[in-house]
Amino acid sequence: MGGGRAVKFRLWRKPEGRAGEWYYCIRHGTVEEGPDCPARDRLGPYATRREAANALETAKTRNQVWENDPNWNDRGRR
């Protein structure tokens, strides 16, 4: 077959959200009102800009709680 270039198609719609919903984009390291980036790249929604700005710390705290929860910790259960 010919030496033509392969064409990639990307089907992507702009994410929809509501005014007053705040997100933290982990790809860009920015806070955005309404989802500007794809869901795979953002945390939220949060009620305030400040909560979104603290998203990484919130996630870290929640992960630590989860990792230390004996009801969810399955290490050694094999």
Side-chain angles (χ1 to χ4, degrees), residues 3-60:
R5 294 185 340 189
V7 177
K8 276 182 139 179
F9 290 98
R10 186 177 225 176
L11 299 177
W12 185 75
R13 293 183 308 149
K14 180 143 175 78
E16 296 178 12
R18 293 177 236 171
E21 288 182 335
W22 295 90
Y23 295 85
Y24 181 82
C25 176
I26 57 175
R27 183 174 185 194
H28 299 111
T30 58
V31 173
E32 50 192 48
E33 184 176 13
D36 287 334
C37 294
R40 69 177 178 264
D41 294 333
R42 68 179 190 259
L43 301 173
Y46 295 94
T48 66
R49 181 179 191 82
R50 174 178 257 167
E51 287 177 17
N54 292 321
L56 293 179
E57 188 61 35
T58 300
K60 180 180 175 182

